[in-house]
Amino acid sequence: MQLTDGQMAAFERDGYLFLPELFSPEEIAVLMGDMPRIWGMHRPEVLRADDGEVRACLAMERYSEPFRRLLSHPRLLEPALQILDGPVYAHQYKVIPKEPFGKLDFPWHQDFASWHAHDGMPAPQAMNFALFMDEVTEFNGPICFIPGSHRDGRMAAEAEPLPGATPLLTLSPEDVSCLAGTNGIVAPKGPSGSGVFFHGCLAHASAPNISPWTRHIVYLTCNRVDNAITRPTRPDYYANRDFTPLELLGDDCLLELARETDAAE
Ligand SMILES: O=C(O)CCC(=O)C(=O)O
């Protein structure tokens, strides 16, 4: 799937591109179908806070066939190749679950600040793709962006501890006030299957889920192979050391898996 010139220009201007209903309900069902099994796993890639709430699961391609296929899906990978203009590998791949009435939130930050400080990523030639597993509304802790904030590059940041995860390099209230005062704040919302591409320097944050509905989002961070990390300080499921370029699968790779599973039952 190729982005149009207008979509590329919007990404460059705003630092993000929202594509409602990029994946079908059937495709999302294939991924969601594996979530209960993953949630029940006790392995280092499944992170829990002290109260037992799952904070994230990472590197799902190691233990989930649906998620292994999603990683190389052309609707994610082709736009990433186009935006980053070169071969890419998966630097980080995770699901962030927000449970009904859950406490999980994220202060304002730029992801590249953490990739640079914790992993030694040389330049912001990496980007994120977020895929909504559930409908995202104003009530269930949507991810919020300051449009255009990526254009200021990496800003000063403080390491803030996060329960059950590595410290996050966060932005100061003064810098956020200044950026938001100029550009405002947006929160892309839409049905499950919607996707957002966003720049590694885009300022973003999210509030807790105050609704009775889940809000699970899959994030893939693609990094250009010639921008591979140089000084990783955290486990490889946070900062992949395998810089092999991702290879495209077919557009029907998730539906094909559903068909294979149905035939085997
Ligand atoms: O899923 C969210 O609400 C935000 C996640 C986030 O900001 C991150 O992983 O950097």
Side-chain angles (χ1 to χ4, degrees):
M1 186 190 86
Q2 292 292 310
L3 299 179
T4 63
D5 290 348
Q7 288 173 322
M8 288 288 283
F11 183 89
E12 266 175 42
R13 183 189 62 231
D14 300 332
Y16 74 96
L17 182 68
F18 180 49
L19 298 174
E21 297 179 81
L22 183 61
F23 284 79
S24 70
E26 293 74 25
E27 290 172 316
I28 296 300
V30 175
L31 297 162
M32 285 301 267
D34 210 19
M35 293 304 310
R37 188 184 66 85
I38 295 175
W39 266 199
M41 286 178 148
H42 288 271
R43 43 184 305 153
E45 298 93 340
V46 180
L47 311 180
R48 289 187 164 79
D50 290 344
D51 64 2
E53 190 178 339
V54 175
R55 263 203 86 91
C57 60
L58 292 117
M60 298 83 74
E61 77 282 8
R62 296 180 185 175
Y63 48 85
S64 168
E65 179 59 18
F67 282 95
R68 189 191 68 75
R69 292 186 182 208
L70 179 67
L71 191 57
S72 294
H73 199 289
R75 273 172 258 158
L76 281 61
L77 195 48
E78 282 181 338
L81 293 169
Q82 212 180 335
I83 290 169
L84 293 174
D85 197 21
V88 301
Y89 72 95
H91 171 63
Q92 197 178 78
Y93 186 39
K94 66 190 176 194
V95 182
I96 302 278
K98 282 196 176 170
E99 297 299 339
F101 311 115
K103 294 195 278 295
L104 186 58
D105 64 356
F106 289 83
W108 284 102
H109 64 285
Q110 297 173 302
D111 284 339
F112 176 64
S114 293
W115 302 333
H116 185 70
H118 295 314
D119 311 327
M121 187 184 286
Q125 282 166 339
M127 55 170 279
N128 291 309
F129 173 75
L131 176 60
F132 298 178
M133 295 283 100
D134 300 293
E135 182 180 11
V136 173
T137 69
E138 59 270 53
F139 310 116
N140 62 2
I143 183 162
C144 302
F145 300 131
I146 301 180
S149 51
H150 64 300
R151 285 191 247 120
D152 289 333
R154 180 167 60 95
M155 301 178 66
E158 288 273 328
E160 193 170 318
L162 285 186
T166 51
L168 191 66
L169 276 279
T170 59
L171 295 168
S172 70
E174 292 74 26
D175 282 342
V176 173
S177 306
C178 182
L179 287 170
T182 312
N183 302 320
I185 297 176
V186 298
K189 295 181 282 287
S192 74
S194 301
V196 195
F197 294 95
F198 62 100
H199 193 282
C201 287
L202 193 71
H204 61 284
S206 73
N209 180 0
I210 58 164
S211 82
W213 304 290
T214 54
R215 192 239 63 179
H216 295 348
I217 296 184
V218 179
Y219 293 94
L220 167 62
T221 302
C222 292
N223 187 24
R224 242 172 59 174
V225 170
D226 61 2
N227 190 46
I229 58 171
T230 55
R231 285 177 287 98
T233 59
R234 46 186 187 169
D236 60 357
Y237 47 86
Y238 274 109
N240 189 10
R241 276 52 151 184
D242 179 354
F243 310 136
T244 310
L246 290 171
E247 301 261 0
L248 288 164
L249 289 177
D251 194 74
D252 65 346
C253 60
L254 289 173
L255 294 178
E256 196 177 72
L257 182 62
R259 284 194 294 269
E260 282 167 21
T261 311
D262 284 350
E265 280 170 3

